[in-house]
Each structure stands twice: as structure tokens, then as C-alpha cells.
Amino acid sequence: MEPTQWTLTETFQFPAEYGKPVSAQEVKVTAGYTEHQTEDAVRLSGIYHVAANVAFDGEAQAEASEADAILIDDVDVEDKSGYFEYAVPLLVDLPTSSGGQLKASVIEASASATDDGTLTVMWTVEAKLAEVEVADAKSNDKDEAPKAETATAAVTADLDSSSVNLIETSLGYSEDHEMLAFISDLEDDVTVTSFRLNDVFVE
């Protein structure tokens, strides 16, 4: 599934005693949801948690009511600066995905004051497949690679020079590999030491 984006807008108004909002800082919108598979779609349901710091002009105005605006009467205001939170319902159906679990997150959020004394908050959401399994696979490859190389070096350390040349060719090592170069320069009368490797007796 290709990443899917959508944009939402919500308008808020505040008690007239605080005055008109003139700006908003630190706007943050977070998506919280659960995922449910329907017959022909993946349904995400939950809330968008909206939080912002708002600056007011402090000039009390007559009570006004905008039909499309949400009244926020619980605002922490101090010296013309206020903070509010609100939960907007989240409900969206996305195309069925066979590749794994979906992850939806807000990638951009902004707010602007309007001339009629309201605050408009806009945010963009992106949904895409989670990449947890891919990251885990890469991590496992990194953990296993050094062990394989170490084991190979331990086995080749006690072989004669002709065997080393054969192993070097089959494993694709370069001729200037320091370990193999050192082994290939050893004399044929070097003592062979017997040891156990993974419970297999090697001589």
C-alpha cells in the first residue's frame, strides 16, 4: 500500500472575556486510534488530540457564536496567554492492506486566527505500512554477520597455505585481506594444533 495523506480543519472559539485570539504557538495534534479490518477496508477509529497555546488581545467583546466553531470554555489563561486541549473524533476507512499493520501519524499542524474572533487549526495525517519487521530483519543480519566471519577466521588459522588459497577463492576474499595474507606466508612446517569448534573435532 502506498502512503495515503489527508488534511482536516477545525475551528474553535473562546469565551468573549478573553478577547479575540491573535496567534497560536506550539500547536500539536496527535492521532490515537485502533485498527479494525472490515470486509473491504481497514478502519481506523479514535481521536485527534489537539493542544495549543493561544495569545488573546485581552479586549473583552460581545458574546458571539459561530455556527461552525467549537466553543472551548475550559482555557487556562494568564496574562493574555492561554492553553487549551480538545479531542476531535477520528474515523477513516483505508484500502485493505496485505503487507502488515498500518501506522497513521500527524506530519504537519498549524493554526491561524481569523477576523471573526475564532482560531482555525489545520493538520495533515499520513498513513503507511509499519516497517518494524524490516528493521528487525536488518538488525538480525548485522548481529549474525560478525559471528560468521569470526568462525571462518578461526577455522582457516590452522590450515596449510594451499588450503587457504582454495578457501580464499571460494569465499571471495580479496588477496590483500590481512589475515589470509599472513597465513599464506607461513612456512609448510608450521605446527598444526588440534582444537574443537562447535563440538566438531578439527585437526
Side-chain angles (χ1 to χ4, degrees):
M1 170 187 162
E2 293 295 325
T4 304
Q5 293 185 2
W6 62 93
T7 301
L8 298 99
T9 303
E10 199 64 76
T11 303
F12 302 96
Q13 63 182 348
F14 306 92
E17 61 190 83
Y18 302 136
K20 291 183 178 181
V22 294
S23 64
Q25 300 84 28
E26 300 180 12
V27 180
K28 184 176 182 180
V29 182
T30 306
Y33 60 88
T34 57
E35 181 179 328
H36 176 68
Q37 181 71 52
T38 64
E39 292 183 0
D40 54 359
V42 176
R43 175 165 295 171
L44 305 182
S45 58
I47 64 168
Y48 298 104
H49 179 260
V50 180
N53 290 314
V54 185
F56 297 96
D57 62 11
E59 299 178 4
Q61 55 185 347
E63 290 289 344
S65 178
E66 294 292 332
D68 297 331
I70 298 172
L71 176 61
I72 304 295
D73 53 10
D74 185 11
V75 186
D76 294 330
V77 179
E78 183 178 351
D79 192 22
K80 299 182 182 181
S81 180
Y83 173 81
F84 79 96
E85 298 180 358
Y86 189 78
V88 178
L90 183 162
L91 182 62
V92 61
D93 288 343
L94 300 173
T96 301
S97 171
S98 59
Q101 187 175 10
L102 288 175
K103 179 182 179 181
S105 57
V106 177
I107 59 175
E108 184 178 2
S110 62
S112 59
T114 63
D115 294 335
D116 57 5
T118 61
L119 183 74
T120 299
V121 178
M122 179 181 296
W123 63 94
T124 301
V125 188
E126 181 179 76
K128 60 183 178 179
L129 291 176
E131 301 178 355
V132 176
E133 295 181 0
V134 176
D136 289 342
K138 290 182 179 179
S139 177
N140 291 337
D141 291 343
K142 290 180 180 179
D143 291 340
E144 293 175 2
K147 295 179 181 178
E149 184 177 344
T150 302
T152 302
V155 172
T156 57
D158 291 326
L159 299 178
D160 59 26
S161 58
S162 61
S163 298
V164 168
N165 291 334
L166 178 60
I167 292 175
E168 180 179 0
T169 303
S170 62
L171 294 180
Y173 282 105
S174 60
E175 292 183 358
D176 60 348
H177 188 283
E178 295 182 3
M179 177 63 74
L180 294 179
F182 170 77
I183 296 174
S184 63
D185 291 336
L186 293 176
E187 298 295 334
D188 291 339
D189 60 348
V190 172
T191 302
V192 176
T193 303
S194 299
F195 62 96
R196 285 185 177 275
L197 178 66
N198 294 334
D199 293 329
V200 177
F201 190 80
V202 179
E203 181 174 291

